[in-house]
């Protein structure tokens, strides 16, 4: 990827369309650059109608500039953008930021202009940011390449990097500065004609002033680029916290109409996020709570949490939420318990949760001593201090105590401010950098994600980087291979299948069956027919030649009646699956963003009614097959539940990996694949796909 | 239940332990009564050490008072409470509030004092509130029977009634007044030695100034009383919104150690809440958001929601959350679309969600006209206006517009304030009574509950009131009936079972089997053995006399080896279940709070691995059996999914109702019952319990 350092920390900038017309984009951007930035490089103002602006020289055009700027900030009206872009490429400008609207988001004409803009930039080797965006807000280095009138207030520097598409939601996150959240850099990429959110995640992954990355996505344009960027962040130990719109059909539709970007499937998105260790959240405020916890501390290996409060009801409420979230209340060490028992009154609860009772809340020394004792306990990863009430001075004292206790320990103390009264105690905590979550549920959700990501890092931090298969342009024509052909390809890929032969006549069928041994299955053999059962094209459990002959007649008659058009190769005669065992399903689809995705689950009702499936992009990483099998809700069924025999899980892992290899090797042509059912026997008996559908792309030049 | 009007709006009050010692409970309570209440009745101060307090006469004792007060507020130290209580009962005081701590919450001695306090009150016919509580806060009538120094700030009158046990969490809800939430009455019942949360819910159900009831529960002491109270509220059209601690083991343990009250099972609690239309929430802030929506408006029959915003990203985010919550985006009427198309720019989104775009945000008249057009659309129940940003004057203008638009329509407009910046626009919305939720997720959760409760009222508003079975004191001794005995009782109750006989000898067994016809099942018959299969006590699928004889020998040998002590009646010979069909399970347990509870689900893995069960208290209400069956996730399996035959659901409904009748008729003795598996055939084939366990209480006086 292109190094974006010169875009984000340029040495020279040209503002094209600089203006002094109050409230114009040109004037607002100029004001941000002159009055609210601390830019020490060269700033050129370009406006053909002026010779001077705010006491600075004004240049008539980019070509007239004495040197080539690192960044051209383009704020001229939409109609003028294309010619300015051409000038910039002619001059060899490496980066352009187009703040102007009226492109892809503004109907057909805008889309055409946007396509032309991309052509100009691509042809000239100029990287483009925007159009239709508020710009780039570099808080840590005080540089506002933005028209936003809010830039003067974006003053809380910090370790969070924010990469968004739309400006509105990004600005919402920026306003968390009000809670003391420090955001060092905000890129809002607008229409993403060239540079995307992923490019900025990639930049932030390497930027020394950014520790934690937040991203807000309506759609992902380039899956491979996104995966590379978030893995770069993971490799550098930086968590990426993402909110992706499009979990419901309403959200998908609205996001599509807003950004015209593909939203892909929410399930696939979430699966990719999990694979790459991206922390997915469900609401925009959760981005902030979660990111700030990561900014404050790296998750410890000790996953237990402590609760410290002076209200019994609050202790119970918080403990309840901790349990519901699947977190663990830490066991205090003997040293901690000793301090708590000695210092707190008899009627206090000293075991986790600690309830000091309100009676001692006014004794600041005692609170600080006991809270500190809890916070340095080695058995835990964080301390939650739920504050149910703003009780004025008492609460101010508590805030002071929390701030003091935190100074003595690395374990994060996490106050949760539950009250709607935001008094001085709240303000003190904000100023001291605690940015207290505002609800027990939201606070604990952040902690849960923090703990789980710590576990992910320990378990997957050293994994090889994952790759995904390419996403070619969609084709309108595909074709299904016949079952016989599909199975032949799978067998060639080392996948075990049952003996089978396509018989062209009933006599051939009985002879084939006699050789392989009864019982057998007979299925119509035709590449025109995918759903064979639906039209009476399948007979199972045929025990002898008579039954097979009758089946031949029944099947051929039924198929002729339902599909007189279909080309028939005969009947596929196949050995029956062994007795016993269970049914699984394995599917592969091509996601428009992330390429091939493998979906796996127990067959029949488990997948159809219970939706108990897991997903991974292909190729499967080492260990992924084993993990997929075990993360199914119904895994117990394969693992000997209710007195069943344990299933042949190693063979299943091998099958999943062979399917992955096969699809990756034929990634250019395979659009879809369905092994359903797949038979799995007891340990040692193996795994056998009983049916197989492969759907291929058809080259538009070749008729099927 | 006792009418609590004289407790909550007394004509005369005695404050026993009134004091002028700064910061004592007696002084704080006195200050609240004199300086911060608007009490026009008679107030007696009682303190034997004073003749006068703050210029008012002081009486030496309750017995010395000129008249009998409606309420005695007791704030003397714990050691003196019992004798004061005795004085009060002697005087015939109808209600006492004991604010003093040091009772049930304070060890064995405190518990003994509390038991004695209850005896005194019961014997004297005096109703008791407390002890160990902050008191009673009557905001709507400005009467503070409380020592809380916060009472002077509890000034936002309103339609919400709040009933809590602990004071801390209740006070947290009270601080929502900061957001404009009006809470008319708060009862915080402390140790609940007599009056419970349920008594106050009952009062609020009838109180004309209360429209919506919030309750916060750590445990429920009396299930029947609670059920009666919340049904009273439902009958009067008042929603009850509840947060019950104890959803996780941690929460149960912490609540138990805090209040010493039984928490019961979270699943049973939630089932009862659903049955009674109590709206259960997961976090304390959700209580407030949800209650306020009900306070603002009754859910409409039109369930659709509208989204109105000026940011495309926010529209997509909110639409996504609406979809994820299972809510419906309303279809606008032609008239609404006409206004939107005419007024908004071309590039705005006029379909739901409405995205005006930020360009027109400054045009207040246009915003008000279009927002009003949406809000009066008859096809929807509410309008969400997510406000992602505080943009100063623009946002103030938006707030003004929302306030104006709301004046013209009954449909609630719900602004969601997403920003951490709480500026003037926010304050205006708070003052105008919108109490904006602070996160999209929380706001939409409130709307979801509001919509769902509206549906519940339409579907269940006219149901007969439900009752529950009694909860006697626990017994330590129970006994399991033998399978034969259990089945005989069920058959007598009209439940269809398979033909079966206990055979005392192998010859009797073969003769019995010949009569009923093979195949048969043979099971050990002994009331000492419940888990028959585990010790080789069951043989199924016996096709002839030889197999039966072999089974007799195998079973008796195996049982003798495993359980040489067991008294054996012989073997139960039973006809095999018909071929095909599915397995179900029906269980009955006795909940320590809500009496008998029936649990029903698909058998085997569905219940054991997927926990796909539903629950109801007994007796089942009309329609409950049908609803239970249909609310199972796996119902499709009984309804013909995947080409199965439709199961005999009417017979299953009849069985559930017969089980309910049977248990209710024998409620005094039945502790537990387990029909597992229950066979269900295709329509017309019926439903048959194949195994039956009944566990009875054993009267301590009678040896088993």
């Amino acid at each position: 990827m292109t190094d974006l350092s010169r875009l984000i920390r340029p040495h020279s900038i040209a503002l094209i369309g600089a203006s002094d017309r109050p409230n114009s984009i040109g004037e607002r951007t100029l004001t941000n650059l002159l009055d609210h930035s601390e830019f020490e490089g060269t700033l050129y103002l370009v406006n053909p109608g002026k010779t001077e602006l705010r006491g600075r020289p004004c240049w008539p055009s980019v070509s007239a500039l004495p040197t080539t700027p690192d960044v051209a900030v383009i704020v001229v009206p939409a109609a003028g953008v294309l010619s300015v872009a051409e000038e910039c490429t002619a001059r060899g400008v490496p980066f352009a930021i187009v703040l102007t609207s009226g492109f892809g988001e503004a109907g057909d004409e805008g889309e055409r202009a946007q396509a032309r803009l991309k052509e100009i930039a691509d042809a000239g080797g100029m990287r483009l940011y925007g159009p239709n965006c508020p710009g780039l807000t570099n808080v840590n280095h005080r540089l506002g390449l933005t028209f936003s009138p809010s830039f003067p207030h974006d003053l809380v520097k910090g370790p969070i990097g924010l990469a968004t598409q739309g400006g509105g939601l990004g600005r919402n996150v920026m306003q968390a500065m009000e809670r003391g959240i420090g955001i060092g850099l905000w890129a809002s990429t607008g229409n993403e004609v060239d540079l995307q959110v992923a490019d900025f995640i990639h930049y932030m992954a390497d930027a020394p002033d950014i520790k934690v990355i937040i991203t807000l996505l309506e759609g992902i344009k380039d899956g491979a680029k996104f995966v590379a960027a978030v893995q770069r962040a993971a490799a550098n130990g930086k968590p990426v916290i993402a909110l992706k719109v499009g979990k419901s059909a309403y959200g998908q539709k609205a996001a599509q109409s807003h950004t015209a970007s593909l939203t892909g499937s929410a399930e696939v998105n979430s699966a990719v996020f999990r694979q790459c260790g991206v922390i997915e959240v469900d609401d925009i405020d959760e981005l902030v709570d979660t990111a700030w916890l990561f900014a404050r501390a790296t998750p410890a290996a000790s996953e237990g949490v402590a609760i410290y409060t002076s209200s019994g009801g609050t202790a119970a409420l918080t403990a309840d939420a901790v349990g519901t979230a699947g977190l663990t209340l830490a066991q205090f060490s003997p040293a901690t318990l000793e301090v708590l028992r000695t210092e707190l009154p008899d009627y206090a609860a000293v075991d986790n949760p600690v309830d000091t009772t309100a009676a001692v809340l006014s004794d600041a020394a005692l609170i600080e001593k006991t809270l500190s004792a809890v916070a340095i306990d080695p058995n835990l990863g964080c301390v939650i201090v739920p504050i149910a009430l703003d009780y004025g001075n008492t609460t101010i004292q508590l805030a002071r105590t929390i701030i003091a206790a935190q100074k003595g320990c690395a374990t994060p103390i996490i106050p949760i401010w539950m009250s709607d009264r935001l008094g001085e105690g709240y303000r003190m905590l904000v100023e001291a950098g605690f940015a207290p979550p505002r609800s027990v549920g939201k606070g604990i959700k952040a902690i849960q994600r923090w703990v789980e990501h710590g576990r992910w890092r320990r378990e997957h931090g050293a994994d090889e980087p994952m790759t995904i298969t390419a996403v070619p342009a969609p084709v309108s024509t595909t074709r299904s291979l016949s079952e016989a052909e599909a199975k032949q390809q799978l067998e060639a890929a080392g996948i075990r299948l049952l003996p089978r032969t396509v018989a062209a006549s009933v006599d051939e069928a009985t002879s084939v069956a006699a050789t392989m041994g009864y019982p057998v299955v007979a299925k119509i053999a035709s590449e025109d027919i995918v759903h064979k059962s639906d039209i009476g094209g399948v007979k199972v459990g045929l025990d002898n030649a008579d039954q097979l002959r009758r089946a031949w007649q029944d099947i051929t008659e039924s198929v002729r009646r339902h599909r007189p058009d279909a080309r028939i190769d005969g009947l596929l005669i196949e050995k029956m699956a062994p007795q016993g065992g269970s049914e699984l399903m394995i599917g592969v689809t091509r996601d428009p963003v992330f390429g091939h995705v493998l979906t796996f689950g127990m067959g029949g009702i488990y997948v159809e009614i219970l939706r108990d499936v897991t997903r991974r992009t292909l190729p499967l990483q080492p260990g992924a097959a084993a993990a997929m099998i075990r993360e199914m809700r119904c895994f117990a069924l394969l693992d000997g539940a209710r007195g069943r025999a344990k299933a042949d899980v190693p063979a299943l892992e091998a099958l999943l990996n062979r399917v992955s290899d096969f699809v990756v090797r034929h990634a250019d042509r395979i659009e879809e694949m369905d092994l359903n059912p797949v038979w799995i026997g007891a340990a040692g008996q193996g795994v056998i796909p009983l049916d197989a559908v492969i759907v291929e792309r058809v080259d538009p030049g070749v008729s099927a």
Side-chain angles (χ1 to χ4, degrees), chain A:
Chain A
M1 298 205 200
T2 310
D3 177 9
L4 302 184
S5 306
R6 292 292 278 280
L7 169 63
I8 290 161
R9 303 188 60 185
H11 298 139
S12 53
I13 301 167
L15 177 60
I16 301 141
S19 165
D20 54 5
R21 186 164 52 83
N23 243 341
S24 66
I25 294 192
E27 184 266 345
R28 277 153 58 175
T29 309
L30 181 59
T31 304
N32 280 337
L33 275 167
L34 290 181
D35 302 347
H36 305 293
S37 297
E38 291 163 7
F39 180 58
E40 290 173 356
T42 311
L43 174 63
Y44 297 118
L45 308 186
V46 179
N47 187 331
K50 305 260 178 191
T51 53
E52 185 257 16
L53 260 173
R54 294 194 53 189
R56 290 171 159 260
C58 216
W59 304 84
S61 67
V62 175
S63 43
L65 296 179
T67 66
T68 303
D70 290 342
V71 176
V73 181
I74 303 176
V75 295
V76 301
V81 166
L82 294 182
S83 61
V84 169
E86 276 170 343
E87 266 189 72
C88 289
T89 54
R91 183 64 199 249
V93 173
F95 294 102
I97 296 178
V98 183
L99 303 184
T100 312
S101 298
F103 290 87
E105 81 288 0
D108 292 346
E109 205 179 320
E111 259 176 51
R112 277 192 298 274
Q114 179 161 310
R116 179 70 195 120
L117 181 61
K118 181 164 172 52
E119 280 170 19
I120 295 168
D122 285 353
M126 179 172 73
R127 302 307 303 265
L128 208 73
Y129 177 108
N132 184 33
C133 69
L136 200 51
T137 302
N138 190 337
V139 178
N140 281 350
H141 305 98
R142 284 314 297 153
L143 176 61
L145 302 173
T146 171
F147 62 79
S148 171
S150 296
F151 177 70
H153 311 293
D154 295 339
L155 294 172
V156 186
K157 299 185 179 188
I160 292 179
L162 173 63
T164 71
Q165 293 170 316
L169 292 182
R171 175 51 61 193
N172 173 273
V173 174
M174 290 297 282
Q175 292 196 339
M177 286 182 173
E178 208 75 14
R179 251 209 283 170
I181 302 287
I183 302 172
L185 175 66
W186 172 30
S188 177
T189 52
N191 290 8
E192 294 196 333
V193 68
D194 172 21
L195 290 172
Q196 303 170 17
V197 156
D199 292 286
F200 291 89
I201 293 175
H202 200 277
Y203 170 83
M204 293 168 185
D206 290 331
D209 61 326
I210 301 299
K211 270 175 65 182
V212 178
I213 300 166
I214 289 180
T215 183
L216 234 157
L217 298 154
E218 292 176 66
I220 294 172
K221 288 234 163 118
D222 182 334
K225 196 182 243 195
F226 179 82
V227 166
V230 297
Q231 291 194 119
R232 178 86 174 195
N236 289 344
K238 299 185 185 179
V240 177
I241 300 138
L243 176 63
K244 168 80 179 59
V245 173
K247 285 185 214 294
S248 72
Y250 288 144
Q252 277 167 24
K253 191 169 158 247
Q256 219 145 25
S257 87
H258 179 227
T259 63
S261 59
L262 281 169
T263 57
S265 127
E267 289 81 8
V268 172
N269 257 300
S270 297
V272 171
F273 286 0
R274 274 195 304 277
Q275 285 176 247
C276 302
V278 171
I279 301 147
E280 187 174 19
V281 303
D282 301 316
D283 202 351
I284 191 162
D285 51 345
E286 295 173 10
L287 279 173
V288 173
D289 284 335
T290 308
W292 196 245
L293 189 47
F294 278 102
R296 292 186 58 204
T298 301
S302 300
E303 295 188 355
V305 305
I307 299 170
Y308 183 100
T309 171
S310 57
S311 144
T314 306
L317 178 80
T318 312
D320 209 15
V322 162
T324 309
L327 292 169
T328 307
L329 283 179
Q331 286 281 350
F332 289 149
S333 71
T336 308
L337 286 171
E338 176 63 23
V339 174
L340 296 175
R341 286 208 187 95
T342 312
E343 300 292 330
L344 292 175
D346 282 352
Y347 46 86
V350 297
D351 220 336
N352 198 0
V354 178
D355 168 16
T356 67
T357 77
V360 298
L361 192 50
S362 53
D363 183 344
L366 181 151
I367 297 287
E368 190 180 331
K369 184 161 186 187
T370 50
L371 175 55
S372 294
V374 169
I376 60 167
D377 190 306
N379 294 345
L380 49 88
C382 68
V383 184
I384 306 171
V385 184
I387 303 174
L389 303 171
D390 186 341
Y391 255 152
N393 284 336
T394 314
T395 310
I396 289 172
Q397 185 136 294
L398 176 62
R400 209 171 276 141
T401 310
I402 290 170
I403 294 165
Q406 184 65 85
K407 288 203 173 111
C409 72
T411 300
I413 300 175
I414 305 167
I416 298 178
W417 191 275
M418 297 159 62
S419 175
D420 275 315
R421 192 174 287 172
L422 301 172
E424 179 62 15
Y426 177 75
R427 210 192 46 72
M428 286 168 63
L429 289 170
V430 164
E431 275 185 10
F434 286 90
R438 295 284 314 279
S439 100
V440 172
K442 296 264 179 182
I444 285 179
K445 197 110 199 190
I447 294 170
Q448 181 189 347
R449 286 167 175 145
W450 183 75
V451 166
E452 283 171 0
H453 185 70
R455 200 181 307 149
W456 183 87
R457 286 199 65 80
R458 290 193 297 279
E459 289 171 5
H460 296 282
D463 283 2
E464 283 172 41
M466 73 176 243
T467 54
I468 62 174
T469 60
V471 184
V475 278
S476 54
T477 326
T478 57
R479 71 175 189 113
S480 292
L481 304 188
S482 73
E483 180 179 348
E485 196 182 343
K487 284 187 166 171
Q488 204 191 326
Q489 292 188 4
L490 293 174
E491 207 158 50
I495 290 169
R496 177 184 163 201
L497 292 159
L498 291 167
R500 76 212 164 277
T501 303
V502 174
S505 71
V506 65
D507 290 336
E508 191 187 345
T510 52
S511 136
V512 159
T515 310
M516 64 178 61
Y518 289 97
V520 299
V521 182
K523 312 186 204 177
I524 192 72
S526 163
E527 65 180 54
D528 296 335
I529 299 171
V530 176
H531 300 291
K532 297 178 281 279
S533 302
D534 300 355
I535 57 164
V538 179
K539 296 278 174 190
V540 302
L542 307 173
D543 280 327
N544 51 50
D546 276 358
Q547 290 182 7
L548 177 51
R549 281 174 196 283
R550 244 193 329 273
W552 184 282
Q553 199 168 348
D554 291 350
I555 289 175
T556 47
E557 276 178 21
S558 178
V559 169
R560 250 195 304 269
R561 202 167 53 247
H562 286 94
R563 294 288 304 275
D565 59 308
R567 288 157 301 181
I568 308 294
D569 299 328
L571 254 59
L572 180 70
I573 309 301
E574 188 168 80
K575 185 93 180 144
M576 270 287 280
Q579 291 281 306
S582 306
E583 286 191 358
L584 312 168
M585 60 78 55
I586 298 172
V588 175
T589 51
R590 198 198 286 264
D591 184 80
V593 177
F594 292 110
H596 287 102
V597 175
L598 186 147
T599 303
F600 160 71
M602 294 286 288
I605 64 121
Y606 299 99
V607 52
E608 290 183 22
I609 298 176
L610 304 169
R611 308 268 167 229
D612 182 16
V613 296
T614 64
R615 287 182 181 80
R616 291 289 188 289
T617 52
L618 297 184
L620 290 182
Q621 290 179 281
M628 288 182 86
I629 297 167
R630 282 159 186 84
E631 74 199 22
M632 276 196 308
R633 270 184 288 150
C634 297
F635 173 63
L637 292 179
L638 299 182
D639 199 37
R642 286 183 59 84
R644 292 167 173 236
K646 282 200 184 221
D648 197 340
V649 171
L652 177 54
E653 289 181 28
L655 173 61
L656 292 171
N657 283 317
R658 287 206 179 102
V659 168
S660 171
D661 291 346
F662 172 73
V663 172
V664 170
R665 205 154 50 240
H666 303 281
D668 52 343
R669 67 173 170 92
I670 294 180
E671 285 290 294
E672 219 178 300
M673 188 167 139
D674 206 4
L675 308 184
N676 187 12
V678 174
W679 178 89
I680 182 166
Q685 294 181 336
V687 178
I688 313 168
L690 302 185
D691 198 358
V693 175
I694 293 177
V695 179
E696 289 190 335
R697 296 166 75 86
V698 176
D699 184 324
V702 181
S703 84

